[in-house]
Amino acid sequence: MSFLVDLLIVNLFVYFFPLQFELPILFHCYITLAWLLISLSISFYRIFPYTKVTQVLRLLARQFFFYFLILYAFIGFFKQPSMSRLALAQYAALVFFSISIIKLIIYFLLLSYREKFRSSLQNVVIIGKNKKTDQLIHVFNTRKDYGYNFLKQFFPNEEGFDLRQCFEYIVSNNVNEIYCSVSELRNSEIVEIINFADNNLKTLKFLPDNKNIYAKKLKLEYYDYLPILSLRDIPLHNPINAFVKRSFDIAFSLVMVFGVLIWLTPLLAILIRLESKGPLFFVQKRTGLDNKEFYCYKFRSMAMNKDADRMQAGKNDMRVTRIGKFIRKTSIDELPQFYNVLFGNMSVVGPRPHMLKHTDEYASKVDKYMVRHFIKPGITGLAQVRGYRGEIERDSDIQNRIKFDIFYIENWSFLLDLKIIVQTVLNLFKGEDKAY
């Protein structure tokens, strides 16, 4: 909402001054795109409960420094000698003042709201006992505006300490975030905590020390003046990135629904019904965001059978009909999932959703399998365009699929989504061995 309000200000305030631009549509597109690209590059809208007001002011200064430069570049780039430089400066100053005031008001209102109503609380536990953990507990208990609800502290150096008891408490008390003092844990215990957090969708953060255990790029944040290391930074947890992806999902799925499905659905309804009795759509529960179940839609490609929810389609599967073979080979059977995208259950690009049976099976035997549920599942994904689609024949198939899914989650970008979509289309024309 803040992003949309800012865009409205950036575009409406143009008419408060005699800028004398000759191409209104071009100018509006230019300043809108400039604002979007700058905000994405500096994470202008990525504000956390623990973000200091000085960081907000720094973001405002950076945003408007680059916006001011790009704004004046319009005159030379599009050869607009008649544009008033003075009016442009006045426009930029008013926009800067207005957006700064609004951003600071929203920032302080949200802090006050969190402190007063304790909304959207994150349940947290701490593993460790030292000066830094005491400081962190003090921050949690005094800075109510941060939105954290401190539940319990575990003491690794005490006799009888057992990580399994920690894990049981975390699961049974719906803990969202785990904070660990690395200096009090053995490397084997740290690995165990990392695996537990990944497999149970818990956010894991470390109080930094000098132990050399970090093989990944870690993110450094400050709670008050206390440094905290976050194990996994997920780009799609950034609100502006999520907004960009959701906007694209809605636009793309509307094109597919009204451009393809509106005429293809009645045609397939006739062909599918002529060959076998049963409904047009195959509806099956799948696992989605945050391990929540949702109904996934496909065009029915098999004769009605009792094993549909238990057994994946294999090569030369006798259940697949003749029209079913064609629509599975061309992936047409997946097109109704654009309705899932519109409903918000899925995205155009993301890890493919699995049957509930397979989620239960792989969660217990494939390490880090649950990490893929940190974001919405997709109609296509990085693992699929790299050849890991369809039937799981060997353990390496699911392991490689998870590897690519996690890479996508940790390295998402809008350009990566576009690349995967283009590669998906190319693969459809080339044909895929496992499209059966």
Side-chain angles (χ1 to χ4, degrees):
M1 288 179 67
S2 179
F3 172 68
L4 293 175
V5 169
D6 290 351
L7 276 186
L8 198 63
I9 290 172
V10 164
N11 283 277
L12 283 183
F13 281 21
V14 165
Y15 297 99
F16 288 11
F17 303 94
L19 297 181
Q20 299 174 1
F21 48 81
E22 298 171 3
L23 304 165
I25 296 176
L26 176 63
F27 186 68
H28 283 294
C29 290
Y30 179 83
I31 60 176
T32 300
L33 185 61
W35 186 267
L36 174 63
L37 292 176
I38 296 168
S39 4
L40 282 173
S41 63
I42 71 167
S43 300
F44 184 62
Y45 294 97
R46 196 167 194 184
I47 305 296
F48 298 97
Y50 48 81
T51 301
K52 298 187 187 69
V53 69
T54 52
Q55 291 174 271
V56 176
L57 293 173
R58 195 179 302 120
L59 285 172
L60 283 164
R62 291 179 66 193
Q63 179 80 4
F64 278 96
F65 173 76
F66 291 113
Y67 183 68
F68 187 80
L69 292 179
I70 292 175
L71 193 61
Y72 269 83
F74 180 83
I75 297 173
F77 193 76
F78 292 100
K79 296 181 173 55
Q80 302 283 306
S82 60
M83 279 192 77
S84 169
R85 274 70 168 172
L86 176 60
L88 202 60
Q90 292 172 332
Y91 157 77
L94 183 60
V95 169
F96 172 68
F97 177 76
S98 304
I99 289 179
S100 298
I101 293 297
I102 291 172
K103 194 172 185 71
L104 289 170
I105 288 173
I106 291 173
Y107 171 77
F108 286 114
L109 282 176
L110 284 174
L111 289 184
S112 175
Y113 178 81
R114 288 192 191 99
E115 187 171 6
K116 188 173 181 180
F117 296 101
R118 306 286 284 159
S119 65
S120 304
L121 289 178
Q122 298 290 306
N123 292 328
V124 300
V125 297
I126 293 176
I127 302 177
K129 170 63 178 173
N130 53 50
K131 190 178 291 185
K132 285 188 177 180
T133 59
D134 291 342
Q135 283 180 276
L136 184 58
I137 292 171
H138 178 73
V139 170
F140 287 149
N141 290 332
T142 56
R143 295 300 304 267
K144 303 298 184 184
D145 52 307
Y146 279 13
Y148 291 104
N149 181 33
F150 172 64
L151 294 182
K152 189 170 182 177
Q153 182 179 23
F154 297 95
F155 307 101
N157 292 329
E158 279 191 355
E159 190 176 346
F161 171 75
D162 188 353
L163 271 179
R164 285 173 296 182
Q165 292 178 356
C166 297
F167 297 158
E168 288 171 7
Y169 180 88
I170 289 165
V171 171
S172 60
N173 288 275
N174 196 27
V175 171
N176 305 105
E177 297 188 5
I178 307 165
Y179 291 80
C180 293
S181 174
V182 180
S183 59
E184 298 181 49
L185 295 165
R186 298 189 302 273
N187 283 345
S188 60
E189 291 176 322
I190 292 168
V191 171
E192 197 174 343
I193 293 171
I194 290 172
N195 292 337
F196 168 80
D198 281 343
N199 293 325
N200 290 274
L201 297 178
K202 306 299 179 185
T203 300
L204 178 61
K205 298 187 178 184
F206 294 110
L207 277 76
D209 67 1
N210 58 0
K211 273 206 173 187
N212 184 25
I213 62 150
Y214 309 111
K216 297 186 177 186
K217 183 178 83 171
L218 301 182
K219 179 186 171 190
L220 182 65
E221 303 165 322
Y222 282 89
Y223 291 10
D224 205 3
Y225 293 99
L226 187 67
I228 299 291
L229 285 175
S230 181
L231 176 65
R232 176 172 284 110
D233 185 28
I234 298 176
L236 283 172
H237 286 180
N238 179 335
I240 192 68
N241 289 344
F243 174 79
V244 169
K245 186 171 176 66
R246 182 63 184 147
S247 300
F248 175 77
D249 283 345
I250 292 172
F252 195 88
S253 55
L254 284 174
V255 169
M256 293 302 297
V257 168
F258 290 103
V260 178
L261 286 171
I262 198 168
W263 59 266
L264 183 63
T265 301
L267 177 62
L268 283 178
I270 296 169
L271 294 174
I272 290 171
R273 182 66 179 175
L274 283 174
E275 189 171 3
S276 66
K277 292 182 180 180
L280 168 63
F281 294 109
F282 171 64
V283 183
Q284 186 180 59
K285 275 190 176 182
R286 299 281 178 102
T287 312
L289 177 66
D290 293 331
N291 202 28
K292 293 176 182 174
E293 299 173 7
F294 72 97
Y295 287 101
C296 181
Y297 298 98
K298 298 177 73 173
F299 285 124
R300 184 170 60 85
S301 59
M302 294 183 179
M304 299 299 291
N305 66 93
K306 297 177 181 179
D307 296 324
D309 287 326
R310 295 185 290 109
M311 205 167 77
Q312 246 184 329
K315 199 167 186 178
N316 301 318
D317 198 312
M318 297 299 293
R319 298 172 297 168
V320 179
T321 62
R322 284 174 296 175
I323 185 65
K325 288 179 182 177
F326 171 75
I327 65 175
R328 292 179 75 91
K329 188 71 176 174
T330 54
S331 296
I332 290 173
D333 63 320
E334 310 283 358
L335 290 180
Q337 286 162 35
F338 283 104
Y339 291 117
N340 285 114
V341 175
L342 277 178
F343 299 155
N345 307 129
M346 293 179 65
S347 180
V348 176
V349 181
R352 283 293 297 159
H354 288 166
M355 291 188 293
L356 304 186
K357 172 181 177 292
H358 287 163
T359 298
D360 294 338
E361 177 186 344
Y362 297 137
S364 60
K365 76 175 188 179
V366 180
D367 194 30
K368 302 188 188 301
Y369 175 83
M370 294 303 292
V371 173
R372 67 201 308 275
H373 299 108
F374 272 122
I375 66 171
K376 289 180 185 178
I379 296 175
T380 185
L382 182 61
Q384 281 63 45
V385 298
R386 292 301 182 93
Y388 296 101
R389 61 164 289 176
E391 186 181 14
I392 305 295
E393 298 176 301
R394 299 175 296 274
D395 287 344
S396 60
D397 290 339
I398 187 64
Q399 288 164 358
N400 284 313
R401 185 179 292 187
I402 300 309
K403 180 182 72 174
F404 282 113
D405 286 343
I406 293 176
F407 178 88
Y408 173 80
I409 289 168
E410 294 181 338
N411 297 275
W412 175 89
S413 71
F414 183 62
L415 290 178
L416 179 59
D417 273 3
L418 294 180
K419 182 180 178 181
I420 291 171
I421 290 170
V422 170
Q423 189 62 56
T424 301
V425 174
L426 293 176
N427 287 351
L428 288 178
F429 286 106
K430 287 192 299 185
E432 297 179 89
D433 294 336
K434 301 194 82 173
Y436 49 78

